[in-house]
Amino acid sequence: MCAKELKKTSRFTEVQAELERTGAALFVDKEGSENLYIRSPYTIQYIHSYAEDSPFFLGLAEGRIRGTRCTACQYTFATPRGHCQFCGEPTQWVDLPTKGKVHAWTTCHYGSEAFLKETPYNLVLVEFEGAKSLLLSRLKDCGEEDIYVGMPIEARFAQEPSYSITDLWFVPAPGSLKK
Amino acid sequence: MVSGGVTKFAKAHPEMDFRLMCKNAFDRARAEVPNLRLDGIDGTRISYFSDHFTRQLKAASMVQDYLGLNPRGSVRIEWGGATGGECFQAAYEAVASGRMDTCLAIGFETMSRVATWKGNEFIALASDTNFDFPLGGFYTGYYALMVMRHLFEYVRRAKFSHISDEREAQRKAIEYGTRVMAKVSVKNHRNALYNPYAQYPKNIDVAGVLGSDMVSYPLTREQICTMSDGAAAAILCTEERAKELTDHPILIKGVGCGTDTMRLADRPFGKVLLMPHEKPSDYAHLEYPGVHSFRAGRSAGLEAYRHAGIENPGKDLDFIELHDAYSSSEIQTYEDLGLCKYGEGYDFVERGDAFLPNIDYGFPVPRAGTIPVNPSGGLIACGHPVGATGLMQAVFAFWQLQGTIGKHFGSDRLQIPKAKRGAIHSHAGTGSSVTVTIMEGK
Ligand SMILES: [Zn+2]
């Protein structure tokens, strides 16, 4: 194969398409220079440990939301952490309620490549009674027009755990949808 | 600082790899200081954000090599979106500590190497990969969460307390707030019409901003910076050395840096860090920072102002180049940096203080010119090649303070008359780290 057989284009989108098709293309810039593009894939499988956060993800599989509480200053974290961010002392595990409120929200109509097929989806920062910090989650079974700051919501858990934060999501509490 | 250089920021630079881009920025900076020989540079600080974009570890070593600066000292700097700002301060520290007489700060990013939505995924890896990313990791989504709380704290409570239906009151607040945010986007896009380095200048209006694609409610596409390729360089040296190199050096008067939790969910609800011109009673009932404000930005500002002897930034600064990755975060940053009080950001836009007096924005800007913010067009219009962005701000601020905008932009429309003192502000992942640097001319 010689370079002459490569597709030449001055459109960047055509370069991308050609790389998908043949793996190489020539981009011709304004000065007439030919710039050689190639496809360069990269995949990797990490061997990932949740380490000290493991009980949280095991808890989701049992239908529990587990936060942590500082053994010294008693600050309660809805997103667990092994040591307190204020005094550095160790925390202990506590069960959080499965009902909460929307502290902040958005609806994503685009997303990272990994999540594009799931759009639109709602993200919420959840407040819990008895916890001072928040937890990020998805809010399902409702539309953009339903959601507001302060809206009461309830947890749902995956039947088959994938041991990911996505094993947990929230839905509107009964009666809280827009009428 | 004695010189700076920037490549034009673009969607892609197929004709240059990262080494050549850096070489271009470096050569432009060198052209301004012909007395500076290559061996007059004692060392470098080199910045780029993402090893995922480069897929070339130790890319900074390859820059050092390509510029012909081996075997002198160099360090790679990475600190998320604030990478360029950190790089600038690292070079400042190398000189201020006495370690070097002359230090080059240079940075780049090559984001065109993957498709846009993959690029968003790479950027979102700069959020907690256990608790945040798997939910739909997407930075625009995170910033949308923050501005939604900002609108709730300040607009819903202050301007729509007469509406009792909570859902309706919040919708009114969002509608009002997004119109104001759109004005910031118009400002930055239209300022950039006179900046030939800008990637995305546009004669857009409020309706055009609000009518563009919804990305993460309430942020539309025209309120968000784009992916870019580009490089920027700044040459810093001692005062003594500066006099040998240029008649118009600019003094680095103060530096500040602040941090906050990586996860938004962990942000505390405490008391406001007060500016010298604020008092505790200003914020009697405000839980701070929560997710509505950037504590790291306030902290960085406070340190830099203290260092530079600034008491009231709104009065003591002539302009600011700040990190407007989103129109919303520009408004939040006005408050963090003390240009107005927390909660007054939207009114501050409406008053027009941050706008330029000689640009037509299509709506009234009564106090235009008071303290122009992002006269260059900011990230929204110039682009955001992460490792170069904070350095680009330094170069634009340098030219403002030298009074050489006309020479470099081919038009002095964006030159702020008699600009004596300016600030640059570089910001990473939902405000997890921020730098502020104060620069001063003669
Ligand atoms: Zn504690």
Side-chain angles (χ1 to χ4, degrees), chain B residues 26 38 41 43-44 63-73 104:
Chain B
F26 179 50
L38 204 53
I41 292 172
T44 64
V63 172
Q64 177 85 349
D65 165 354
Y66 201 76
L67 299 183
L69 292 170
N70 288 328
R72 277 152 274 174
L104 168 69

Side-chain angles (χ1 to χ4, degrees), chain A residues 3-20:
Chain A
K4 279 177 201 158
E5 294 169 33
L6 292 176
K7 183 181 171 92
K8 290 183 192 179
T9 173
S10 50
R11 298 176 60 148
F12 198 63
T13 47
E14 281 181 14
V15 171
Q16 283 174 278
E18 188 64 9
L19 293 189
E20 285 301 316

Side-chain angles (χ1 to χ4, degrees), chain A residues 2 10 26 28 42 51 55 60 71 84 93 96 98 102 107 130 153 162 175:
Chain A
C2 68
S10 50
L26 285 171
V28 184
Y42 183 54
L60 296 185
T71 52
C84 177
W93 291 96
L96 296 175
T98 54
V102 172
T107 302
I153 52 178
S162 62

Side-chain angles (χ1 to χ4, degrees), chain B residues 39-110:
Chain B
D39 61 10
I41 292 172
D42 300 316
T44 64
R45 298 294 178 257
I46 302 178
S47 62
Y48 64 99
F49 159 57
S50 173
D51 293 317
H52 289 79
F53 282 116
T54 55
R55 221 190 111 191
Q56 169 63 66
L57 300 191
K58 282 204 109 240
S61 284
M62 295 171 73
V63 172
Q64 177 85 349
D65 165 354
Y66 201 76
L67 299 183
L69 292 170
N70 288 328
R72 277 152 274 174
S74 180
V75 175
R76 180 253 177 121
I77 307 286
E78 184 275 309
W79 210 212
T83 293
E86 292 282 355
C87 180
F88 191 69
Q89 293 195 352
Y92 161 83
E93 282 160 7
V95 173
S97 67
R99 186 172 182 183
M100 296 183 196
D101 285 335
T102 305
C103 182
L104 168 69
I106 189 160
F108 72 88
E109 208 73 42
T110 48

Side-chain angles (χ1 to χ4, degrees), chain B residues 251-289:
Chain B
L251 183 66
I252 311 305
K253 183 81 174 169
V255 292
C257 177
T259 58
D260 216 326
T261 66
M262 180 76 144
R263 297 188 294 234
L264 280 180
D266 287 348
R267 301 276 162 94
F269 297 91
K271 289 206 176 351
V272 177
L273 306 172
L274 296 174
M275 288 276 160
H277 63 286
E278 295 175 336
K279 46 191 188 307
S281 59
D282 292 343
Y283 304 117
H285 304 292
L286 182 63
E287 294 191 309
Y288 181 86

Side-chain angles (χ1 to χ4, degrees), chain B residues 207-261:
Chain B
V209 173
L210 295 177
S212 60
D213 272 3
M214 184 59 71
V215 179
S216 286
Y217 185 72
L219 294 171
T220 56
R221 189 174 294 247
E222 298 288 0
Q223 301 182 65
I224 305 169
C225 65
T226 57
M227 304 262 169
S228 313
D229 284 9
I235 300 171
L236 276 62
C237 56
T238 59
E239 280 191 74
E240 211 164 75
R241 190 93 176 84
K243 283 176 199 148
E244 298 164 18
L245 297 172
T246 175
D247 295 332
H248 305 289
I250 297 302
L251 183 66
I252 311 305
K253 183 81 174 169
V255 292
C257 177
T259 58
D260 216 326
T261 66

Side-chain angles (χ1 to χ4, degrees), chain B residues 41-361:
Chain B
I41 292 172
D42 300 316
T44 64
R45 298 294 178 257
I46 302 178
S47 62
Y48 64 99
F49 159 57
S50 173
D51 293 317
H52 289 79
F53 282 116
T54 55
R55 221 190 111 191
Q56 169 63 66
L57 300 191
K58 282 204 109 240
S61 284
M62 295 171 73
V63 172
Q64 177 85 349
D65 165 354
Y66 201 76
L67 299 183
L69 292 170
N70 288 328
R72 277 152 274 174
S74 180
V75 175
R76 180 253 177 121
I77 307 286
E78 184 275 309
W79 210 212
T83 293
E86 292 282 355
C87 180
F88 191 69
Q89 293 195 352
Y92 161 83
E93 282 160 7
V95 173
S97 67
R99 186 172 182 183
M100 296 183 196
D101 285 335
T102 305
C103 182
L104 168 69
I106 189 160
F108 72 88
E109 208 73 42
T110 48
M111 306 174 85
S112 67
R113 299 187 72 246
V114 294
T116 297
W117 302 114
K118 194 65 173 178
N120 272 281
E121 197 176 305
F122 285 177
I123 293 167
L125 291 172
S127 61
D128 188 307
T129 51
N130 286 345
F131 287 94
D132 294 342
F133 179 81
L135 291 166
F138 185 37
Y139 256 98
T140 306
Y142 303 152
Y143 280 85
L145 287 166
M146 293 191 81
V147 74
M148 288 293 255
R149 188 68 197 187
H150 193 263
L151 290 163
F152 176 74
E153 292 287 344
Y154 300 128
V155 180
R156 189 266 176 264
R157 286 179 175 165
K159 295 193 195 298
F160 297 96
S161 57
H162 58 284
I163 300 176
S164 58
D165 181 87
E166 189 56 40
R167 196 181 266 119
E168 190 198 337
Q170 290 185 21
R171 284 306 184 282
K172 295 272 186 220
I174 295 165
E175 244 168 65
Y176 167 84
T178 47
R179 285 197 75 78
V180 178
M181 283 151 54
K183 289 183 175 181
V184 171
S185 172
V186 169
K187 167 174 74 68
N188 295 353
H189 279 111
R190 292 204 185 186
N191 287 355
L193 291 169
Y194 304 94
N195 178 355
Y197 290 93
Q199 178 180 347
Y200 202 49
K202 206 169 187 181
N203 202 14
I204 197 167
D205 60 9
V206 168
V209 173
L210 295 177
S212 60
D213 272 3
M214 184 59 71
V215 179
S216 286
Y217 185 72
L219 294 171
T220 56
R221 189 174 294 247
E222 298 288 0
Q223 301 182 65
I224 305 169
C225 65
T226 57
M227 304 262 169
S228 313
D229 284 9
I235 300 171
L236 276 62
C237 56
T238 59
E239 280 191 74
E240 211 164 75
R241 190 93 176 84
K243 283 176 199 148
E244 298 164 18
L245 297 172
T246 175
D247 295 332
H248 305 289
I250 297 302
L251 183 66
I252 311 305
K253 183 81 174 169
V255 292
C257 177
T259 58
D260 216 326
T261 66
M262 180 76 144
R263 297 188 294 234
L264 280 180
D266 287 348
R267 301 276 162 94
F269 297 91
K271 289 206 176 351
V272 177
L273 306 172
L274 296 174
M275 288 276 160
H277 63 286
E278 295 175 336
K279 46 191 188 307
S281 59
D282 292 343
Y283 304 117
H285 304 292
L286 182 63
E287 294 191 309
Y288 181 86
V291 298
H292 53 79
S293 295
F294 304 117
R295 182 173 58 160
R298 168 86 23 143
S299 180
L302 281 170
E303 187 191 359
Y305 295 158
R306 208 178 305 123
H307 190 185
I310 288 173
E311 296 272 316
N312 186 337
K315 293 202 170 73
D316 299 344
L317 293 170
D318 298 315
F319 69 94
I320 300 182
E321 288 285 345
L322 68 76
H323 190 102
D324 57 324
Y326 305 89
S327 60
S328 53
S329 60
E330 175 160 330
I331 294 177
Q332 288 160 310
T333 300
Y334 296 152
E335 299 173 350
D336 300 325
L337 295 183
L339 304 186
C340 58
K341 287 187 181 141
Y342 278 112
E344 293 178 354
Y346 301 92
D347 293 337
F348 183 78
V349 175
E350 298 282 40
R351 288 202 301 267
D353 298 53
F355 292 71
L356 290 168
N358 54 344
I359 306 264
D360 174 23
Y361 298 107

